[in-house]
Amino acid sequence: MAVTSAPAVRFAPSPTGLLHIGNARTALINWLIARRDGGTFLLRLDDTDQERSRPEFADAIVADLAWLGIAPDRVIRQSDRLAIYDEAAERLKAAGRLYPCYETPDELDRRRKRQLARGLPPVYDRAALALGPDERARLEAEGRRPHWRFRLEPGIVAWDDLVRGASQVDCGSLSDPVLVREDGSYLYTLPSVVDDAREGITHVVRGEDHVTNTAVQIQILRALDAAVPAFGHHNLLTTATGEGLSKRMGHLSLRGLRESGLEPMAVAALAVLVGSAEAVRPVDSLEALGAILDLTHISRAPARFDEAELRALNAKLLHAMPYAQAAPRLAALGCDLGEPFWAAVRGNLDVMADAAVWAPVVTGPVDPVVEDQAFIAAARDLLPSGAFGETTWKTWTGAVKAATGRAGRALFMPLRLALTGRDHGPELAALLPLIGRERALRRLSGERA
Ligand code: GLU
């Protein structure tokens, strides 16, 4: 299903670790939806878990999104907005939808085990709903503090999922979710719903681990008389061996991928296209990626993220990258030797930083490797005079072949070793004019040049 006019979307990570490639998938899908249709993108830091949330992770999230090309229109922090959640909680209490419970984790655990032993689903039995004011007062006098559960309406909650189509969850089989902990702090659910409503979020697109939450959240939105946004749940990414990704484990963090020299557009293209009906292919801008993205083409099965596939995609992207795009990056690496240099080396790069390996091969000094002196001396004497150009290599090696009778590897490898000091590298036809006649002559004479 297409997303219609001016969507307001959000990406809502908790700042408890570094973003990984699976988070990038969610962030990018939202960003592309927003940008494609002239909408807005909100970054919401879900930092109500005070113990695990860290400001340095919040900063890292902003920086990693920027690296991908995502510049949120606005950033909000849930820890700044507790009063708003308190107000919503009071409304739900007044409506009888949020009720106090006094069971300890141990008591709940024992109850669950009894249910399971009797073959019953381990659903909260709502015992606390039956407590009268006196019983509550007695429990509180014992020093117990309540946690608060949302009273779900029984029955099916259905929605038209942007990715999965007609979807439904039977709320009769769910426990009433805890929204407020004993210490008064909020679990993720209520703040998320309140923020989505207040910020006018029109499309909530996130991983399919949130499908059940969506049913609960739709009930809470209705209980608060708020508009229900469109929901979409994309498949999750796993590692190549099928494990889930975890922010806390630093698995395939964007930071790590970036530090290993990968292009943000390679990461973005793979993050968005893997596990969809679209072929994973190099895409050179987020705009172009947005034009390809179709939520209904995302597969239902989990998608495997393979680092080798990412590296291959990165290389492909570099091989096709126009000079104008590469130039600032080359300059930053201190190896911008101009367009012909880029044209000569890009086909040999796995990561952009490899370009810095080839620049000194052009500019020197290179220690030539000369094994067969007589052959190299003969080749040197045949080096064409005048300025070198595109055809110099062909003319020269033609002449060397005619004079020495050598062909193939026996002809080319000694020349490569003498000219570059290496046994592999970019096409010499393109490198030789960059090396130039003077340096070539010296290297063919065995001189460091
Ligand atoms: N903080 C939640 C998470 O990271 C947000 C989920 C959502 O998008 O609603 O899973």
Side-chain angles (χ1 to χ4, degrees):
M1 187 204 308
V3 168
T4 48
S5 65
V9 301
R10 80 327 187 255
F11 173 56
S14 46
T16 54
L18 292 171
L19 295 183
H20 57 58
I21 184 85
N23 305 127
R25 182 176 180 78
T26 311
L28 282 162
I29 290 174
N30 279 287
W31 173 253
L32 297 176
I33 290 171
R35 276 301 166 268
R36 190 169 61 185
D37 300 320
T40 53
F41 178 101
L42 172 73
L43 172 61
R44 188 183 82 207
L45 295 162
D46 285 2
D47 60 352
T48 52
D49 183 340
Q50 289 175 355
E51 241 159 68
R52 293 195 3 246
S53 299
R54 300 256 183 287
E56 56 271 29
F57 287 133
D59 293 344
I61 286 169
V62 172
D64 290 344
L65 292 179
W67 177 69
L68 283 175
I70 296 177
D73 297 296
R74 229 150 51 83
V75 182
I76 61 174
R77 283 181 176 69
Q78 290 192 325
S79 55
D80 292 339
R81 301 159 65 89
L82 298 177
I84 304 173
Y85 313 139
D86 290 345
E87 188 191 316
E90 290 312 316
R91 279 183 62 193
L92 293 176
K93 285 178 195 171
R97 296 297 298 273
L98 195 59
Y99 63 96
C101 303
Y102 295 86
E103 296 90 347
T104 64
D106 263 1
E107 286 165 352
L108 289 172
D109 199 44
R110 262 177 298 178
R111 222 178 268 182
R112 261 194 301 270
K113 283 185 181 135
R114 275 201 305 273
Q115 286 169 314
L116 286 169
R118 278 192 254 140
L120 298 170
V123 175
Y124 178 61
D125 61 6
R126 293 185 159 164
L129 258 185
L131 297 174
D134 294 349
E135 285 158 302
R136 282 191 213 142
R138 185 179 49 75
L139 288 163
E140 300 213 3
E142 276 175 22
R144 296 204 191 207
R145 291 278 153 271
H147 55 274
W148 297 79
R149 287 185 192 261
F150 178 74
R151 186 172 52 76
L152 288 169
E153 306 274 15
I156 303 256
V157 170
W159 69 94
D160 196 1
D161 197 283
L162 296 164
V163 177
R164 298 153 63 99
S167 299
Q168 60 176 52
V169 169
D170 180 3
C171 289
S173 64
L174 303 179
S175 292
D176 286 344
V178 177
L179 301 191
V180 189
R181 297 188 188 89
E182 214 180 283
D183 64 3
S185 67
Y186 291 98
L187 284 103
Y188 147 78
T189 310
L190 183 64
S192 180
V193 165
V194 169
D195 285 334
D196 287 342
R198 265 186 90 100
E199 300 306 319
I201 298 301
T202 58
H203 297 78
V204 173
V205 181
R206 55 189 175 183
E208 65 187 9
D209 47 338
H210 286 288
V211 166
T212 306
N213 289 344
T214 291
V216 169
Q217 292 179 3
I218 288 174
Q219 285 214 16
I220 300 175
L221 285 159
R222 288 185 185 142
L224 291 169
D225 293 322
V228 175
F231 285 93
H233 300 86
H234 62 73
N235 56 0
L236 299 179
L237 299 189
T238 68
T239 63
T241 50
E243 297 152 64
L245 303 178
S246 153
K247 212 190 285 166
R248 263 152 283 155
M249 286 159 69
H251 250 332
L252 300 171
S253 71
L254 293 182
R255 196 49 63 97
L257 298 174
R258 169 188 186 171
E259 279 166 4
S260 68
L262 295 165
E263 298 300 302
M265 272 315 301
V267 174
L270 190 65
V272 171
L273 299 178
V274 71
S276 78
E278 303 295 335
V280 171
R281 54 192 188 266
V283 179
D284 64 5
S285 68
L286 288 180
E287 201 181 11
L289 194 55
I292 299 171
L293 173 70
D294 183 335
L295 295 181
T296 62
H297 286 181
I298 296 175
S299 144
R300 296 287 291 259
R304 276 175 198 241
F305 173 78
D306 182 351
E307 232 185 309
E309 189 180 10
L310 175 59
R311 294 195 175 273
L313 183 65
N314 195 74
K316 267 197 215 164
L317 192 75
L318 292 173
H319 300 174
M321 187 181 282
Y323 174 66
Q325 212 175 320
R329 310 282 308 288
L330 293 171
L333 290 165
C335 67
D336 183 8
L337 300 183
E339 186 159 6
F341 171 73
W342 177 244
V345 303
R346 65 180 180 176
N348 274 74
L349 309 181
D350 291 324
V351 292
M352 185 58 98
D354 293 346
V357 172
W358 298 113
V361 169
V362 170
T363 54
V366 162
D367 289 311
V369 176
V370 176
E371 279 156 2
D372 182 342
Q373 297 250 4
F375 171 69
I376 293 298
R380 182 193 55 211
D381 293 343
L382 289 166
L383 206 57
S385 54
F388 283 1
E390 268 173 37
T391 55
T392 306
W393 172 255
K394 198 158 183 253
T395 312
W396 180 41
T397 52
V400 176
K401 180 177 178 180
T404 63
R406 290 202 190 198
R409 195 180 153 84
L411 169 66
F412 298 121
M413 187 53 77
L415 297 179
R416 177 177 287 284
L417 285 167
L419 287 168
T420 68
R422 293 163 186 265
D423 63 6
H424 69 281
E427 293 289 338
L428 278 165
L431 274 190
L432 186 59
L434 296 167
I435 293 170
R437 189 160 199 283
E438 191 207 340
R439 271 190 297 251
L441 268 178
R442 291 177 59 194
R443 291 179 192 174
L444 292 167
S445 307
E447 264 177 65
R448 182 165 209 258

